[in-house]
Amino acid sequence: MKTSLENHKIPGTIIFDGQRAIDGYALNKMCFSFNSAENRAAFLSDPDAYCRKFNLTDKQREAVKSRDVLGLLESGGHIYYLAKWGGIIGLGVQDLGAQQTGMTVEEFKAMLARGGAH
Amino acid sequence: MKTSLENHKIPGTIIFDGQRAIDGYALNKMCFSFNSAENRAAFLSDPDAYCRKFNLTDKQREAVKSRDVLGLLESGGHIYYLAKWGGIIGLGVQDLGAQQTGMTVEEFKAMLARGGAH
Amino acid sequence: MATIVGGIATSHIPTIGKAIGKGWCNEPEWKPFFDSYKPVHAWLEKVRPDVAVVVYNDHGLNFFLNNMPTFAVGAAARYDNSDEGWGLNVVPPFAGYPEFSWGLIESMVADEFDITSCQEMLVDHGFTVAMGLLWPKEKGPCPVRTVPISVNTVQSPLPSPARCYKLGRALGKAIEAFDEDLRVVVVGTGGLSHQLDGTRAGFVNKDFDLLCMEKIVTDPEALTDYSIPDLIRLTGAQGVEVIQWLVMRGALTGQVSKVHSRYHGVISNTSAAVMVLENSCADERHAREHVLQEHL
Amino acid sequence: MATIVGGIATSHIPTIGKAIGKGWCNEPEWKPFFDSYKPVHAWLEKVRPDVAVVVYNDHGLNFFLNNMPTFAVGAAARYDNSDEGWGLNVVPPFAGYPEFSWGLIESMVADEFDITSCQEMLVDHGFTVAMGLLWPKEKGPCPVRTVPISVNTVQSPLPSPARCYKLGRALGKAIEAFDEDLRVVVVGTGGLSHQLDGTRAGFVNKDFDLLCMEKIVTDPEALTDYSIPDLIRLTGAQGVEVIQWLVMRGALTGQVSKVHSRYHGVISNTSAAVMVLENSCADERHAREHVLQEHL
Ligand SMILES: [Fe+3]
Ligand SMILES: [Fe+3]
């Protein structure tokens, strides 16, 4: 599939286009379920079983296990849904940002305090 | 509220416009639940309790009890959702049509066989 | 590039679904009806589409009033049918084609249609009865992948006939822009005249049905002059489903040839009809596009 | 007839919602930010709107990918907030105004916007944080009824800036056509520049933010020349939320006066800003409509 956005690749972001939506549907559906406290508790009590219940791919389950945000984005996760997963495991948007940019959280926050990345 | 369709009143039909949608939301939500066999059984075991669970108005509960199709349409039911309720209580679209037009089912079917109403 | 081989318009009356499920197609009462789909099958065997884009309306299986789209396009790998509540048999799932769906959605959104995308979507009798008529299970596994497009015929305001026709034009352009060598048939389901609600229940308008069947071939723009209230008055409150025929027709080129057409009279409460339109080449579309633009 | 008193653009950063919930508005770190909403409150007390139409984006509370609208308009009597999964306090419900919502939906569908109508709809921080900033609970019960309008910023393809601006124009026309003596404020929430995903996470573009804040007043059409990929590049993947500002601006007349404007720099990961635009009279809109038509 050639999408119009693939003709506009933008360095440093991962456009959530049709192909990513296809790849990530199960992962995003799992993360969407985290709007419910009951589901968050179920995930925490056995994360891998919860991932299997939603039919995540091996790669996605591995990325969940290793908290690999870029890996989850590449395999179709949308950042809005992934943020719900992040919330459960104690990763806020600045922790997610730090990890993706290879900074410590302090470095990432300091960078934002200086007006952000350019 | 003045809707554009109220300026186009059409004799013999009941346009499902915004005002009817407002009036009928609970009723339609109840009927939509009848896509599930379990919910259909719950309705049949105690219809009025099921109506109350969905917060139908007194008028709507009365119309459900007396199987008053025109009354249900007037109070905001949509025919597609009401058809699901009809299915439960053994009223197909021709039974519904007969009731609304004041015919027997045989008369209504015969009218359709002659090419329908005009 | 993908090619549109043509369009099919067909009723989707639940009773037909029941007859299919019961295997009644050779019963005397049903044989003339089902036989009238034989030329459709012959044409489909000739043109061999890879994909069917099926424009229909959901009757309260997948969509509810809490989130009711005007135009919803399926983008799933598989579409399940499900219990509609009043006893129609549930049929096996249909194959989707999400990459193609996304190609269509991208193009239509770029053309300023405000599409709802559905990566999971139950298809009701508006879709399944048409599929069962066009590709009967007796003839083997269904040879096409599908893209369901659901048009709001539940909650007023409905999209106007003119808007539906324009959606069809954007759909045709989107299909032809898809960068794979595919053969695509566009199906519009629903109608013709009928009304289920109110004191005019049982309303049928054969004259208007025949007019629609004529104009849809030769002069579809004439049908876009009707408003939704016009259509309700002329074809019945549920007869407005004919707007799906207009989406189908819009996806074809300006000139089409009528391969097959049959008006059946009333089945259950509804005028039943089927038509097959063969598409002219895409160049024809582009030549006509300008003229259409002025008309609408 | 209803009158549009003006428009407000504001960020809706979750951290602000947290600060509101904790009552931090007089903490040294937060006071300058919250104080910058005092001129907004003064203006609202002057113009006394009856209704707020709030154009925002859902971040995965109410809408999921199985049924993802481009433009969704609330038509409920009450809008509940709910647990978003990552710890923001749930705030009390907001009053809706379904009759007004239907007036807007009817008019916008007649103008060929393919609206999704929502008779039940959870509103997330994109809506609630803005409401909490504009009508703080300390000042008493919220004096406005609301119509939430959610714009798809999740699933590509997103509606283009030009399409969003046109939606705004149709919205403005719809509001003014509503046959009751109402005072309406249109709120656009979101932005400005920020990016949460990818190796460019933490991206901020103050220059572009300031450009947006200038152009939204004097020359909003200039912003409609950007494509979505342009915006992603210039304002960050999530900075595209500025399309909601464009919907708001489209609903106002051609000429507006800037009552208040403040750029705050980065809060959490996002450039925060607030603006108040007072609307010119409706006649102004109609005079400009023709010119806009040619531009777009
Ligand atoms: Fe139908
Ligand atoms: Fe946001």
Side-chain angles (χ1 to χ4, degrees):
Chain A
M1 175 175 51
K2 290 221 185 57
T3 69
S4 55
L5 277 163
E6 282 182 327
N7 302 329
H8 293 277
K9 281 221 180 283
I10 296 157
T13 187
I14 292 150
I15 303 295
F16 190 74
D17 62 7
Q19 190 58 57
R20 290 240 158 60
I22 294 168
D23 296 343
Y25 192 74
L27 170 60
N28 290 314
K29 192 169 178 177
M30 178 180 90
C31 292
F32 185 68
S33 81
F34 296 148
N35 284 331
S36 138
E38 196 183 330
N39 292 335
R40 296 195 292 273
F43 174 84
L44 282 175
S45 78
D46 187 344
D48 205 56
Y50 199 84
C51 290
R52 285 178 193 278
K53 202 179 89 182
F54 278 84
N55 294 313
L56 268 58
T57 64
D58 291 350
K59 205 178 145 193
Q60 288 167 336
R61 285 191 299 108
E62 208 37 66
V64 168
K65 203 174 293 174
S66 59
R67 301 182 169 202
D68 171 10
V69 181
L70 288 172
L72 288 168
L73 289 166
E74 284 295 348
S75 66
H78 187 286
I79 192 69
Y80 286 165
Y81 303 119
L82 292 178
K84 297 174 194 292
W85 161 76
I88 301 180
I89 59 171
L91 300 178
V93 288
Q94 300 186 348
D95 304 294
L96 300 176
Q99 189 199 99
Q100 295 177 88
T101 53
M103 297 183 198
T104 66
V105 177
E106 287 63 37
E107 286 165 351
F108 188 74
K109 285 184 178 172
M111 182 269 284
L112 285 166
R114 288 191 310 270
H118 298 286
Chain B
M1 175 175 49
K2 291 222 185 56
T3 69
S4 55
L5 277 163
E6 282 183 325
N7 303 327
H8 294 276
K9 282 223 179 281
I10 297 157
T13 186
I14 292 151
I15 302 295
F16 191 73
D17 63 6
Q19 190 57 56
R20 290 240 157 60
I22 293 168
D23 297 342
Y25 191 74
L27 170 61
N28 291 314
K29 193 170 177 176
M30 178 179 89
C31 292
F32 185 68
S33 81
F34 296 147
N35 284 330
S36 138
E38 196 183 330
N39 291 335
R40 295 195 292 272
F43 174 85
L44 282 175
S45 78
D46 187 344
D48 204 56
Y50 200 84
C51 289
R52 284 177 192 276
K53 203 180 89 180
F54 278 84
N55 293 313
L56 268 57
T57 64
D58 291 349
K59 204 178 145 192
Q60 288 166 336
R61 285 191 298 108
E62 208 38 64
V64 168
K65 201 172 298 176
S66 58
R67 303 184 165 198
D68 171 11
V69 180
L70 288 172
L72 289 168
L73 289 165
E74 284 295 348
S75 66
H78 188 288
I79 192 70
Y80 286 165
Y81 303 118
L82 292 178
K84 297 175 193 291
W85 161 76
I88 301 181
I89 57 171
L91 300 179
V93 288
Q94 299 186 349
D95 304 294
L96 300 176
Q99 191 200 97
Q100 293 177 89
T101 52
M103 298 183 197
T104 66
V105 178
E106 286 64 36
E107 286 165 351
F108 188 74
K109 285 184 177 172
M111 183 270 284
L112 284 164
R114 288 191 310 270
H118 297 287
Chain C
M1 310 301 271
T3 307
I4 301 171
V5 294
I8 301 174
T10 174
S11 301
H12 63 219
I13 306 165
T15 314
I16 302 171
K18 189 178 169 194
I20 292 172
K22 302 274 187 192
W24 288 343
C25 40
N26 287 311
E27 299 289 313
E29 193 192 339
W30 282 100
K31 193 165 168 18
F33 173 78
F34 282 104
D35 279 356
S36 81
Y37 281 77
K38 286 185 177 171
V40 186
H41 303 156
W43 179 76
L44 285 169
E45 276 155 30
K46 190 189 85 176
V47 298
R48 297 208 164 279
D50 306 297
V51 188
V53 175
V54 182
V55 186
Y56 75 108
N57 61 305
D58 180 82
H59 304 70
L61 177 66
N62 191 67
F63 298 104
F64 185 60
L65 303 171
N66 65 325
N67 192 357
M68 179 58 75
T70 295
F71 297 130
V73 179
R78 199 184 82 181
Y79 301 99
D80 288 333
N81 179 219
S82 182
D83 183 350
E84 295 188 47
W86 33 260
L88 204 60
N89 276 355
V90 173
V91 302
F94 298 85
Y97 190 172
E99 293 81 2
F100 183 60
S101 291
W102 285 114
L104 302 186
I105 294 167
E106 290 222 346
S107 180
M108 290 191 285
V109 170
D111 280 343
E112 306 208 330
F113 289 85
D114 312 312
I115 299 299
T116 288
S117 61
C118 299
Q119 292 177 59
E120 205 166 344
M121 190 177 181
L122 297 172
V123 288
D124 81 350
H125 71 272
F127 179 96
T128 63
V129 169
M131 291 297 291
L133 283 168
L134 303 186
W135 291 281
K137 61 178 183 306
E138 293 73 25
K139 289 176 159 293
C142 179
V144 292
R145 289 188 276 180
T146 62
V147 179
I149 300 184
S150 176
V151 175
N152 169 30
T153 62
V154 175
Q155 174 68 63
S156 173
L158 312 186
S160 69
R163 183 67 177 167
C164 290
Y165 189 65
K166 289 180 196 173
L167 178 77
R169 282 163 51 208
L171 172 64
K173 181 181 151 194
I175 293 169
E176 287 174 358
F178 190 71
D179 199 13
E180 282 194 33
D181 195 20
L182 292 174
R183 300 171 66 75
V184 180
V185 64
V186 183
V187 181
T189 88
L192 288 171
S193 62
H194 66 299
Q195 181 165 322
L196 303 176
D197 68 272
T199 54
R200 204 182 61 158
F203 175 80
V204 169
N205 187 347
K206 182 176 174 180
D207 290 343
F208 188 73
D209 293 335
L210 295 177
L211 179 79
C212 285
M213 293 178 73
E214 179 201 325
K215 294 294 182 190
I216 203 88
V217 186
T218 57
D219 186 15
E221 295 94 44
L223 298 175
T224 66
D225 290 336
Y226 294 107
S227 67
I228 289 291
D230 289 339
L231 279 191
I232 293 173
R233 198 176 294 109
L234 286 164
T235 191
Q238 281 67 49
V240 291
E241 290 177 343
V242 73
I243 56 180
Q244 287 120 228
W245 291 35
L246 272 171
V247 178
M248 174 277 287
R249 183 61 181 86
L252 307 184
T253 47
Q255 293 285 334
V256 296
S257 50
K258 185 169 77 177
V259 173
H260 175 61
S261 171
R262 179 75 69 87
Y263 177 79
H264 293 284
V266 179
I267 293 182
S268 179
N269 286 28
T270 304
S271 270
V274 59
M275 300 185 74
V276 176
L277 305 178
E278 199 161 85
N279 208 22
S280 308
C281 70
D283 291 348
E284 176 67 27
R285 166 203 306 288
H286 305 135
R288 291 273 297 186
E289 198 71 8
H290 189 70
V291 180
L292 296 176
Q293 201 75 44
E294 281 171 17
H295 179 86
L296 289 171
Chain D
M1 310 299 270
T3 308
I4 301 171
V5 293
I8 300 173
T10 175
S11 300
H12 63 220
I13 306 165
T15 314
I16 301 171
K18 189 178 168 196
I20 293 172
K22 300 275 188 191
W24 288 343
C25 39
N26 287 311
E27 298 288 315
E29 193 192 340
W30 282 100
K31 191 166 170 18
F33 173 78
F34 283 104
D35 279 356
S36 81
Y37 282 78
K38 286 187 174 168
V40 186
H41 303 155
W43 180 76
L44 285 169
E45 276 154 31
K46 190 189 85 177
V47 299
R48 299 208 161 279
D50 307 296
V51 187
V53 176
V54 182
V55 187
Y56 75 108
N57 61 305
D58 180 82
H59 304 70
L61 177 65
N62 191 66
F63 298 104
F64 185 60
L65 304 171
N66 66 325
N67 191 356
M68 179 59 74
T70 295
F71 298 130
V73 178
R78 200 183 81 180
Y79 300 100
D80 288 334
N81 179 219
S82 183
D83 184 350
E84 294 188 47
W86 32 261
L88 204 59
N89 277 354
V90 174
V91 302
F94 298 85
Y97 189 172
E99 293 80 2
F100 183 60
S101 291
W102 284 114
L104 303 186
I105 294 166
E106 290 222 344
S107 180
M108 291 191 285
V109 170
D111 279 344
E112 306 207 333
F113 290 83
D114 312 312
I115 300 299
T116 288
S117 61
C118 299
Q119 291 177 61
E120 204 166 343
M121 188 179 184
L122 297 172
V123 287
D124 82 350
H125 71 271
F127 179 95
T128 64
V129 170
M131 291 298 291
L133 283 167
L134 304 185
W135 290 281
K137 62 178 181 306
E138 294 72 24
K139 289 177 160 293
C142 180
V144 291
R145 289 188 274 181
T146 62
V147 179
I149 300 184
S150 177
V151 175
N152 169 31
T153 63
V154 175
Q155 174 68 64
S156 175
L158 313 185
S160 69
R163 183 65 176 167
C164 290
Y165 189 65
K166 288 181 197 173
L167 178 77
R169 280 163 52 208
L171 171 63
K173 180 182 152 194
I175 293 169
E176 288 173 358
F178 190 72
D179 197 14
E180 284 196 31
D181 193 20
L182 291 175
R183 299 171 67 74
V184 180
V185 63
V186 183
V187 181
T189 89
L192 288 172
S193 63
H194 66 299
Q195 182 166 323
L196 303 176
D197 69 271
T199 55
R200 203 182 61 157
F203 175 80
V204 169
N205 187 346
K206 182 177 173 179
D207 291 343
F208 188 74
D209 293 336
L210 296 177
L211 180 79
C212 285
M213 292 177 74
E214 181 201 323
K215 293 295 183 192
I216 203 90
V217 185
T218 57
D219 187 16
E221 295 95 45
L223 298 175
T224 65
D225 290 336
Y226 294 106
S227 67
I228 289 291
D230 289 339
L231 279 191
I232 293 173
R233 198 177 294 110
L234 286 165
T235 192
Q238 282 68 48
V240 290
E241 290 177 343
V242 73
I243 56 181
Q244 287 119 229
W245 293 35
L246 272 171
V247 178
M248 174 277 288
R249 182 62 180 86
L252 307 184
T253 47
Q255 293 285 333
V256 297
S257 49
K258 184 168 77 178
V259 173
H260 174 61
S261 171
R262 178 74 69 88
Y263 176 79
H264 292 283
V266 178
I267 292 182
S268 179
N269 286 28
T270 305
S271 270
V274 59
M275 300 185 76
V276 175
L277 305 178
E278 199 161 87
N279 207 22
S280 306
C281 70
D283 292 346
E284 177 67 26
R285 164 201 309 285
H286 305 134
R288 291 273 296 186
E289 199 69 9
H290 189 70
V291 180
L292 297 175
Q293 201 74 43
E294 281 173 18
H295 179 87
L296 291 172

